[in-house]
Amino acid sequence: MKIIRSIGEVPHPPGSIGFVPTMGAFHEGHLHLMRTARQQNETLAVSLFVNPLQFGPKEDLAKYPRDFDRDSALAEAEGVDVLFAPSVEEMYAAGLAATVSIPALSNIWEGAIRPGHFDGVATVVTKLFHIVRPTTAYFGLKDLQQCMVLQAMVESLNFPVTLEFEPTIREADGLAMSSRNVYLETFQRRAAPTIYQELVRCGKAIRLRNTSVDAEIEQSKSALHQAGGLVDYFDFVALPSMRRLRNYAESTALICAVRFGSTRLIDNLLL
Ligand code: AMP
């Protein structure tokens, strides 16, 4: 495995290049993306970059978990060919005279609570696509809105790359794996699986169609509140627009963001 720190040294071998962009602190979710990309491509590139542009001023940029030696050993074990791990200075040396924005999808849900977040994601992913030049890039459905934002970006702006979205990898008790789970106190970690339980319960009820979507959502919000969570949103949306929906239809999802103390967890369920 080649560890590359500078943009000019990223190789562009012939044949298919699978690419997994990450912020490190690898867990089974990241490793699943790497395994899938490894099986489907001649070359596997992974980026490890904690992108300051997608963090708000009050967010966890400084304390975001970082362990390069552990991550690089895990990447090596998954058969990664190129690990691109630039510094912030290297990535943003050229400045930010241009950024990428997808207004139709970036200002709702996560975007409403985290202004500028998806512009930061879209801008860094654009830069990474230009640097790595992948044929296929792999993202986790755990970040469903991110997937919809990037799909819209790639289609609207004719990026020569295919996006593959992979299912959410969960702990045995249903909690979606996340680098941020390490912030949870023991009592919060015990309560956090309520998120997935409520997504599943609410999803089943909505699919049966003999209930009001509003009533089921209210029931889930109250169960999460009882478990000690502060619900930023818990809602039912159409895909890929992410617009609020009140009747069961094709291509829909339940989405939610719940805070346990200062730790904010997001999850979703495709229905
Ligand atoms: P991050 O390092 O958090 O930016 O995540 C890198 C990639 O891993 C993104 O495409 C995420 O959606 C994906 N990912 C994060 N958690 C999970 C998970 N539990 N299951 C599947 N993919 C995930």
Side-chain angles (χ1 to χ4, degrees):
M1 182 178 78
K2 277 192 197 136
I3 295 172
I4 307 274
R5 300 283 184 184
S6 88
I7 292 171
E9 282 167 21
V10 174
H12 302 111
S16 61
I17 302 178
F19 177 43
V20 181
T22 81
M23 299 203 300
F26 294 156
H27 52 63
E28 280 298 317
H30 299 109
L31 302 184
H32 169 76
L33 293 175
M34 292 181 211
R35 275 169 212 152
T36 307
R38 177 68 287 172
Q39 283 169 6
Q40 299 178 357
N41 297 276
E42 284 151 89
T43 300
L44 170 55
V46 169
S47 63
L48 196 173
F49 180 62
V50 183
N51 174 34
L53 215 57
Q54 71 191 67
F55 285 77
K58 289 186 188 137
E59 292 179 7
D60 55 345
L61 173 63
K63 70 162 192 169
Y64 196 83
R66 289 168 171 90
D67 188 343
F68 183 79
D69 292 343
R70 174 181 174 274
D71 285 347
S72 108
L74 287 168
E76 173 112 58
E78 294 303 333
V80 172
D81 299 304
V82 177
L83 181 63
F84 177 53
S87 65
V88 172
E89 294 70 33
E90 173 71 6
M91 264 315 258
Y92 290 113
L96 278 168
T99 57
V100 182
S101 183
I102 297 85
L105 280 157
S106 290
N107 302 323
I108 52 178
W109 309 120
E110 283 304 283
I113 291 161
R114 308 179 65 190
H117 170 68
F118 287 119
D119 291 359
V121 170
T123 301
V124 81
V125 170
T126 296
K127 287 168 70 71
L128 290 167
F129 282 178
H130 288 143
I131 294 164
V132 175
R133 302 181 208 161
T135 42
T136 306
Y138 297 79
F139 295 89
L141 282 167
K142 152 87 171 30
D143 298 286
L144 179 64
Q145 190 173 0
Q146 171 170 281
C147 291
M148 298 303 111
V149 165
L150 295 175
Q151 187 65 52
M153 175 182 93
V154 161
E155 285 173 12
S156 305
L157 301 177
N158 305 86
F159 278 69
V161 61
T162 302
L163 303 188
E164 289 269 343
F165 301 136
E166 288 295 313
T168 302
I169 306 298
R170 300 179 180 282
E171 302 285 356
D173 58 12
L175 179 64
M177 290 199 182
S178 163
S179 310
R180 292 186 166 104
N181 291 349
V182 297
Y183 302 149
L184 294 168
E185 305 279 353
T186 310
F187 71 99
Q188 296 167 332
R189 175 62 189 82
R190 235 177 259 140
T194 311
I195 297 174
Y196 185 60
Q197 286 158 19
E198 280 309 311
L199 286 170
V200 171
R201 186 205 62 74
C202 190
K204 275 186 189 149
I206 290 174
R207 247 190 255 124
L208 286 174
R209 297 179 207 217
N210 56 3
T211 177
S212 122
V213 170
D214 276 319
E216 296 303 331
I217 286 176
E218 280 316 308
Q219 190 177 326
S220 286
K221 283 184 179 172
S222 115
L224 285 159
H225 183 74
Q226 289 265 310
L230 258 169
V231 180
D232 279 347
Y233 59 81
F234 188 107
D235 225 311
F236 181 54
V237 298
L239 298 179
S241 70
M242 308 255 346
R243 292 289 153 194
R244 218 157 165 253
L245 202 64
R246 279 300 171 265
N247 297 301
Y248 182 63
E250 290 271 303
S251 289
T252 54
L254 280 167
I255 57 170
C256 69
V258 183
R259 279 178 282 153
F260 285 92
S262 55
T263 307
R264 202 164 165 279
L265 304 176
I266 60 167
D267 202 350
N268 65 80
L269 189 70
L270 302 181
L271 297 187

